[in-house]
Amino acid sequence: MSTTAQEVWLEDAARKAGFGGTAEFVADYSLKPYRLSQLYRAATKELVEDVERVTVLPADVRRRLGETNFRFESIEPVVVQRSSDGQTTKGLFRLHDGNEVEAVLMEHWGDRTTVCISSQSGCAYACAFCSTGQAGYTRNLSAVEIFDQARYFARELKSRGKKITNVVFMGQGEPFANYDAVMDAVRLLNDPNGFGLGHRHITISTVGLVPQIERFTAENIQVNLAISLHAPTDAQRSSFMPVNRKFKIGELMRACETYVEKTRRKIFFEYVMLENVNDDDESARALAKLMRGHLYHVNLIPYNATPDAPMRGTAEARIRAFQRILDDAGVPTTVRTPMGRDIAAACGQLRAQTQPRAKAAL
Ligand code: SAH
């Protein structure tokens, strides 16, 4: 039997409080099963700040839980910055071992609020245009550390009478390199008895790890899949995305075709516009050829400046010309609106700047 979201959450909370696991925790406190559900619901559905405030629990239970360090939070906000237009908020969070990650809240005009969460501290894939990739990899996050980024912003929004409508796994790290924890985090986000966000409101973005795309296909869930393609030919893609040396475009596109065939779901392809690298007419035509006739959508992403990447972004007029070629070929496209550049919160800018990483110290 697969683990439920509540089991994932409780096991994590029990271990954080110093127990060997849920069983030991339950025995120690002689907690009835419904008390466990109350704790879980308070943290994930009612978004209660911490255990001391769960009023349905008897006062002595609350006190004892507090004393043993039973906490709801697994991440601690260190710096929270808001962009000058007020639409983007970036949180820098410290994990229990001192590592840091970032997550970003985007409040679009209208009712849409998207939280972009990290699945790893740092990233091992070293895409040349991405600040996270340039800074290197630290470690995988646990399912609850991932989930808690959404919980943090959900609580903050709730205090203003708002809600999260979408979660995207597009922060630091490669979600499919931390597959099991990411899928458990999806369970936590989705659980109708808990956080309750519909699968269709969740998007996982991958650099293109083929075995995991196949595994994800077999899950047959309605979570959206996005692929960071960024180039239509192997020569181009390998020149700035080292992962392409392992999984070539042909193999990647075959896995994508199978995904659409089996799930009947659309795939989103991300394409960052890099001046004189991948933004010429020929690239647009090659991309159109890869996309045409499939249930695919292209997201053109204006390049966001990163400290050590030597690249420049494509000018807006060229982005539009590139888009027109895709339009003419019947490929659906959108141009992503950059958000939070002034607080380094836009795509590719997340690198948790307060602590130098190993690579930066060399
Ligand atoms: N590792 C996953 C999740 C990160 S998603 C993935 O690669 O899909 C973040 C998205 O922003 C990716 O599509 C990434 O390629 C893109 N990106 C990275 N650096 C960027 C930059 N400097 N400007 C714009 N987009 C960037």
Side-chain angles (χ1 to χ4, degrees):
M1 209 186 78
S2 73
T3 329
T4 65
Q6 179 172 314
E7 284 163 355
V8 169
W9 187 85
L10 277 169
E11 182 71 17
D12 187 273
R15 286 183 187 277
K16 275 200 303 260
F19 296 94
T22 310
E24 196 181 291
F25 165 67
V26 170
D28 207 69
Y29 279 87
S30 334
L31 287 174
K32 299 245 166 51
Y34 77 96
R35 292 285 182 217
L36 300 178
S37 303
Q38 282 175 333
L39 277 172
Y40 169 71
R41 266 216 316 275
T44 63
K45 187 180 182 122
E46 290 142 24
L47 304 173
V48 176
E49 184 183 356
D50 220 325
V51 64
E52 289 88 353
R53 297 185 194 245
V54 185
T55 46
V56 289
L57 291 176
D60 67 309
V61 176
R62 262 186 277 161
R63 188 179 38 77
R64 282 196 300 137
L65 284 169
E67 279 165 10
T68 49
N69 247 342
F70 186 94
R71 316 288 310 159
F72 281 1
E73 305 281 7
S74 66
I75 60 172
E76 184 199 342
V78 186
V79 185
V80 179
Q81 290 168 278
R82 186 160 289 194
S83 65
S84 52
D85 63 9
Q87 282 196 85
T88 308
T89 311
K90 180 170 81 169
L92 173 74
F93 301 94
R94 186 164 299 141
L95 312 174
H96 66 84
D97 59 1
N99 282 307
E100 291 170 339
V101 285
E102 287 160 312
V104 178
L105 168 70
M106 287 158 283
E107 297 176 67
H108 312 274
W109 302 123
D111 286 338
R112 204 154 60 91
T113 53
T114 303
V115 176
C116 173
I117 59 179
S118 296
S119 54
Q120 301 181 313
S121 174
C123 184
Y125 285 84
C127 299
F129 48 82
C130 176
S131 185
T132 313
Q134 291 308 300
Y137 170 74
T138 310
R139 75 161 168 88
N140 275 332
L141 301 191
S142 71
V144 176
E145 285 168 340
I146 298 169
F147 168 74
D148 274 356
Q149 298 165 51
R151 189 182 109 91
Y152 173 83
F153 283 115
R155 291 192 57 240
E156 200 268 323
L157 284 168
K158 193 179 177 185
S159 70
R160 296 191 272 127
K162 294 181 78 175
K163 276 179 134 168
I164 291 178
T165 62
N166 296 79
V167 168
V168 296
F169 285 80
M170 296 189 184
Q172 288 180 9
E174 167 49 39
F176 279 174
N178 187 15
Y179 190 91
D180 292 333
V182 163
M183 292 315 292
D184 276 346
V186 166
R187 242 167 251 142
L188 283 162
L189 290 167
N190 179 244
D191 186 5
N193 296 317
F195 199 76
L197 185 71
H199 274 159
R200 277 175 293 184
H201 297 271
I202 301 172
T203 301
I204 298 178
S205 178
T206 176
V207 75
L209 307 186
V210 169
Q212 286 90 326
I213 294 171
E214 290 166 354
R215 219 176 138 189
F216 185 67
T217 303
E219 309 267 355
N220 205 5
I221 50 176
Q222 296 196 309
V223 169
N224 301 302
L225 178 63
I227 308 275
S228 289
L229 186 64
H230 304 317
T233 66
D234 283 324
Q236 239 179 41
R237 194 165 190 263
S238 298
S239 76
F240 54 84
M241 292 180 73
V243 70
N244 197 69
R245 290 179 215 142
K246 185 145 186 212
F247 302 112
K248 298 271 181 294
I249 292 178
E251 196 187 345
L252 175 60
M253 297 313 291
R254 272 193 298 282
C256 290
E257 273 174 48
T258 308
Y259 171 86
V260 174
E261 232 168 70
K262 295 234 162 102
T263 65
R264 303 268 150 224
R265 294 191 62 74
K266 183 191 293 177
I267 298 183
F268 299 86
F269 287 88
E270 291 149 297
Y271 196 100
V272 59
M273 299 294 297
L274 303 169
E275 188 177 68
N276 297 332
V277 175
N278 65 356
D279 65 350
D280 56 319
D281 287 0
E282 200 185 320
S283 298
R285 284 192 291 269
L287 178 62
K289 212 166 148 203
L290 282 180
M291 298 288 114
R292 198 166 30 212
H294 297 283
L295 200 51
Y296 294 160
H297 184 106
V298 175
N299 254 318
L300 299 174
I301 314 180
Y303 171 74
N304 298 307
T306 64
D308 24 39
M311 309 175 137
R312 275 199 314 269
T314 302
E316 192 172 337
R318 179 92 278 271
I319 297 181
R320 295 291 164 198
F322 192 93
Q323 186 181 27
R324 214 164 309 119
I325 293 174
L326 291 163
D327 275 351
D328 290 346
V331 177
T333 57
T334 40
V335 178
R336 186 176 286 174
T337 312
M339 292 181 78
R341 281 176 168 170
D342 59 334
I343 53 167
C347 307
Q349 294 185 319
L350 301 182
R351 77 184 305 172
Q353 266 153 341
T354 63
Q355 279 187 357
R357 284 170 202 274
K359 194 176 166 192
L362 290 175

